[in-house]
Amino acid sequence: MVSRRNFFAVTAVMAIVFFMFQSLNMAKEYWNDYEVNKYAEDTEQLPGKTDAYTGTLEEGKSTVVCIGEPEQTSGTEVVKQWALYAKWEFHSYPTVAAYEQAREEKEVSAPKLLVIYSESIRWEDAEQTETFRQYVEEGTSLLFATMPDAETIEKSPVLQELFGIERVVEESTTVEGLHLYEGFLLGGETIYRADKKEDEKNQDMELTFPWYRLTSGTKVYMKGIPGEESVKTEEYPVVIWRKSFEKGYVFAVNGDYMQDAAGLGVLTGVVSEIGSYTIYPVVNAQNLVIANYPGLADENEEKMQELYSRSAENVFRDLVWPSIASVYAENHLGLSFMLEPQFDYADDNLPKPQDLRYYMGLINEQKGECGLSGYSVSDTELRAKLKEDEQLMQQELPKYRFTSFYTADRSEEEVTEALKEPSLSEVRTLIEPYDDQSDLFGYQTEEITTQKMVIDGYEHTYRDDFKVKSIESALGYTGILLDLSRVVYPQDDSDVWEKLSKQFASNTSTYWRAFQGFDGTTVSESDLRIRNFLALDYTQTRTDDQIQLTRQGTEETVWFVLRTHNESVEDVDGGSFQKLEEDAWLIQADKEHVTITLGPSDERYYQE
């Protein structure tokens, strides 16, 4: 038997423990100020469209010239966008003749880089080919963003010498995969080959192209991997390479890697190979955006019971949230949610207000931020949808400032009209799905920016990986979009959360590890960095082992990537630095003038 004294002692301890837990929960609830968006700022205090750099023509600024008909290739826009981001002077001409005329009239000085799209070149004109050699001898490096066909190259010794091609092995060959060598893009060496059957779904790289054997004086950045084991590694068909000349280089791209945002990284990699070092601005923002979560209404009930034996509400709470929280805890990405109170605005299932407060508390505990979503499965006009959402938000979260909006599949006209709604009056950035264009961010209006997502969180093909590496290399930026409407309204059996969550966890935990040197940001934090990045201009010079960096356009902290060849950063005055990978450094510029001191990266010590 338990004595009366022990009984009261045990009861007292239990009461104390109960009180402590209750107190902790009450304190946690009290301090969880989820009704306030701590990332919100007034747009009047932020840089706007009129503050953005537009490509000033200044003496001493690096120049890139593009030769290509805009209507023939989307690559011209890629080069233009890259120049805007990199703060280079940009010129474009449809033909070599037009460029030559501009040179004669002194409209353009000799560029550091000349990008050429072969569709605009009359390869039968030997004089034009000789002109390219002349440019290189003057010190201009050439990037052939697309190549002439193999038959043309085979007939022209001048072209073979220009490209560093010894001979054409085959006019067309199909390889099993591609090998991207370390150092051209950030993120390290990568082999894009499906060695396992389950990896075959990821293989979407261009695997059929001409097979060239190169001469001496060339350097290869990406090769094809043929199926024949007898082929020596040095004889593998080349995809991206350069030929060295006395004063410049000729870079060649044997594929379609300059037609979309991947071209931003190719251009950055090329420029980093031209000189002994290169320094360029980056956004430094890594975003994870959870779109259309949480759904607060029990919708598509029959399908939910069939797939999960529970309601949509319970699926989001019991299955989806633990997975998201777990993946987020293991990564360095910033976390943002684009709220979707209900998916079907034509049925009678209304959102549960109490659930909104529950999720806002959870999201705030994870230091996440919330925006609004324009998605709907019903044929509901966007402004009508927003009016319904506004009633719920005003009732439950009257003080929360929603500063971001996910446009989903809405047209630009719809979004423009919707921005007039009171519920979007605080919006300062639009989140858009990726559309293969190179303008990854910019201004929608004077005060509102756009941020395009880079990749679908459920998928990561080999081409996706190359694109991610390219964008990270050029801009230090990424945006992973996880659309949870597929969970409640699945398109097929692959949309069950068990499968989707495995893909999401695997992709996110694997492919961004190489970029942990960049900062995780919410969409509003990313928006602020984008505004300062777009407003930024800079100059830089080097004397001996010191780089003098001067930035203008914004007084806020900005970031640069410095890429070297066998040199390391020893000190930064006016900012700070960290190593991203071999020969690549992230420079944080806090002051207007920054001095970067370099030293040898492989310094050795000897004793006599």
Side-chain angles (χ1 to χ4, degrees):
M1 292 182 62
V2 179
S3 66
R4 183 178 298 177
R5 181 175 180 179
N6 288 342
F7 174 79
F8 280 114
V10 170
T11 303
V13 170
M14 291 179 64
I16 292 171
V17 171
F18 176 77
F19 177 76
M20 289 176 63
F21 273 107
Q22 288 295 100
S23 298
L24 285 171
N25 285 332
M26 291 174 63
K28 188 176 180 181
E29 177 87 16
Y30 179 78
W31 291 108
N32 189 342
D33 192 10
Y34 58 80
E35 293 185 349
V36 176
N37 183 356
K38 58 178 177 280
Y39 302 104
E41 294 185 50
D42 294 330
T43 53
E44 292 82 3
Q45 301 174 358
L46 304 174
K49 186 175 182 179
T50 55
D51 302 308
Y53 171 85
T54 56
T56 57
L57 304 181
E58 297 177 1
E59 186 177 351
K61 187 175 285 294
S62 295
T63 302
V64 58
V65 170
C66 183
I67 296 178
E69 293 279 5
E71 56 271 14
Q72 289 183 345
T73 173
S74 60
T76 303
E77 282 302 313
V78 173
V79 181
K80 180 179 180 180
Q81 198 64 50
W82 175 85
L84 189 66
Y85 290 153
K87 320 299 177 180
W88 279 39
E89 184 180 329
F90 170 79
H91 297 272
S92 177
Y93 302 94
T95 62
V96 174
Y99 171 54
E100 280 290 297
Q101 183 177 348
R103 280 165 51 100
E104 291 175 5
E105 296 175 358
K106 300 186 185 305
E107 291 180 1
V108 58
S109 56
K112 186 173 184 178
L113 180 64
L114 178 62
V115 183
I116 303 158
Y117 285 87
S118 65
E119 297 86 351
S120 300
I121 305 303
R122 292 183 290 108
W123 293 108
E124 68 279 5
D125 185 351
E127 187 176 338
Q128 281 202 1
T129 307
E130 289 289 350
T131 301
F132 293 141
R133 178 61 186 265
Q134 175 189 334
Y135 295 156
V136 180
E137 291 175 349
E138 292 173 354
T140 292
S141 290
L142 311 184
L143 167 59
F144 285 87
T146 55
M147 297 279 289
D149 60 66
E151 183 180 359
T152 299
I153 292 176
E154 195 167 26
K155 292 178 180 178
S156 173
V158 177
L159 278 180
Q160 292 175 32
E161 199 273 338
L162 185 69
F163 290 125
I165 294 173
E166 182 181 282
R167 69 182 181 92
V168 178
V169 180
E170 294 181 15
E171 291 190 3
S172 179
T173 187
T174 300
V175 298
E176 291 190 347
L178 299 177
H179 185 174
L180 174 66
Y181 287 93
E182 183 178 16
F184 187 67
L185 299 178
L186 298 183
E189 179 185 37
T190 309
I191 294 178
Y192 298 117
R193 180 174 59 184
D195 292 325
K196 300 177 182 178
K197 188 171 182 60
E198 57 265 29
D199 294 332
E200 291 178 0
K201 65 181 185 300
N202 297 324
Q203 183 56 275
D204 58 348
M205 300 289 274
E206 186 177 4
L207 300 180
T208 300
F209 47 85
W211 185 344
Y212 304 118
R213 181 170 296 170
L214 302 183
T215 63
S216 60
T218 55
K219 180 178 180 180
V220 176
Y221 304 105
M222 190 157 73
K223 278 185 175 183
I225 305 172
E228 301 88 348
E229 295 183 1
S230 59
V231 181
K232 297 179 181 179
T233 304
E234 60 269 22
E235 296 178 352
Y236 282 4
V238 291
V239 180
I240 302 176
W241 73 94
R242 86 173 187 204
K243 164 72 175 183
S244 300
F245 290 88
E246 185 176 351
K247 292 185 178 181
Y249 301 101
V250 172
F251 294 84
V253 179
N254 191 16
D256 63 350
Y257 303 99
M258 284 289 295
Q259 301 300 321
D260 58 19
L264 301 174
V266 174
L267 283 160
T268 302
V270 164
V271 170
S272 71
E273 289 289 301
I274 289 176
S276 61
Y277 76 97
T278 184
I279 187 167
Y280 56 92
V282 293
V283 178
N284 188 20
Q286 309 286 285
N287 305 302
L288 172 59
V289 176
I290 313 296
N292 305 318
Y293 181 86
L296 307 177
D298 283 334
E299 300 183 47
N300 208 7
E301 185 175 354
E302 184 176 338
K303 193 65 175 180
M304 292 297 94
Q305 289 298 325
E306 175 191 336
L307 294 176
Y308 305 103
S309 300
R310 63 187 78 194
S311 66
E313 178 188 11
N314 290 334
V315 169
F316 276 142
R317 184 190 62 205
D318 302 335
L319 302 180
V320 176
W321 175 259
S323 297
I324 292 174
S326 176
V327 171
Y328 171 66
E330 295 177 359
N331 291 278
H332 71 293
L333 303 159
L335 188 62
S336 303
F337 291 82
M338 301 294 111
L339 302 182
E340 178 67 2
Q342 56 184 318
F343 295 98
D344 190 346
Y345 287 77
D347 63 16
D348 296 327
N349 298 315
L350 298 178
K352 299 177 176 60
Q354 66 275 14
D355 287 352
L356 177 59
R357 288 180 168 268
Y358 167 75
Y359 281 111
M360 291 297 291
L362 292 178
I363 292 168
N364 195 53
E365 288 175 10
Q366 300 293 336
K367 297 182 174 60
E369 180 186 9
C370 290
L372 298 173
S373 173
Y375 181 81
S376 173
V377 298
S378 56
D379 188 18
T380 306
E381 196 268 335
L382 180 55
R383 297 185 73 171
K385 165 194 156 48
L386 291 172
K387 283 183 169 63
E388 287 200 40
D389 293 347
E390 171 74 357
Q391 294 178 8
L392 175 65
M393 300 306 171
Q394 283 299 317
Q395 174 185 330
E396 299 298 322
L397 298 169
K399 294 190 294 182
Y400 198 91
R401 298 173 62 187
F402 292 99
T403 59
S404 56
F405 178 65
Y406 174 55
T407 62
D409 56 354
R410 302 287 185 171
S411 68
E412 185 175 347
E413 292 75 15
E414 276 189 292
V415 173
T416 300
E417 286 299 310
L419 289 173
K420 301 173 183 177
E421 289 296 313
S423 59
L424 301 186
S425 61
E426 297 276 6
V427 166
R428 70 185 221 212
T429 188
L430 301 179
I431 308 302
E432 300 179 347
Y434 180 68
D435 60 5
D436 283 334
Q437 300 301 308
S438 56
D439 55 336
L440 295 168
F441 42 75
Y443 280 93
Q444 176 82 4
T445 67
E446 170 60 34
E447 297 181 341
I448 298 176
T449 64
T450 59
Q451 300 181 51
K452 287 181 182 175
M453 295 293 96
V454 170
I455 200 167
D456 186 329
Y458 302 122
E459 299 176 4
H460 199 96
T461 67
Y462 295 155
R463 181 74 188 215
D464 287 336
D465 189 75
F466 186 82
K467 178 179 67 180
V468 166
K469 280 183 166 62
S470 296
I471 294 171
E472 291 278 26
S473 299
L475 298 167
Y477 171 82
T478 201
I480 306 172
L481 179 67
L482 196 73
D483 185 353
L484 291 177
S485 65
R486 291 172 60 176
V487 177
V488 182
Y489 288 91
Q491 300 171 10
D492 50 50
D493 292 341
S494 65
D495 283 345
V496 294
W497 180 244
E498 180 183 5
K499 295 179 180 179
L500 292 176
S501 62
K502 287 180 180 179
Q503 295 166 357
F504 166 57
S506 175
N507 293 342
T508 308
S509 300
T510 302
Y511 298 108
W512 278 269
R513 289 193 181 279
F515 307 107
Q516 293 190 27
F518 295 120
D519 292 342
T521 55
T522 68
V523 293
S524 285
E525 290 176 311
S526 177
D527 166 69
L528 179 58
R529 296 186 179 202
I530 285 171
R531 289 170 185 268
N532 287 315
F533 173 86
L534 293 175
L536 173 69
D537 193 8
Y538 73 100
T539 57
Q540 61 87 21
T541 57
R542 178 170 181 173
T543 304
D544 298 326
D545 63 348
Q546 288 192 336
I547 299 173
Q548 301 293 335
L549 180 66
T550 302
R551 27 73 66 95
Q552 308 93 27
T554 176
E555 298 180 355
E556 299 295 324
T557 294
V558 291
W559 290 266
F560 294 81
V561 164
L562 170 65
R563 298 179 68 173
T564 64
H565 297 285
N566 298 318
E567 289 184 296
S568 64
V569 178
E570 294 188 345
D571 182 62
V572 173
D573 182 27
S576 59
F577 69 96
Q578 69 176 90
K579 187 175 183 179
L580 296 173
E581 58 184 60
E582 192 65 28
D583 292 337
W585 309 80
L586 181 66
I587 308 297
Q588 178 173 310
D590 297 319
K591 296 182 179 179
E592 181 181 357
H593 300 287
V594 177
T595 301
I596 304 168
T597 303
L598 302 178
S601 61
D602 57 350
E603 184 174 6
R604 295 174 175 85
Y605 299 89
Y606 298 91
Q607 282 186 327
E608 295 185 1

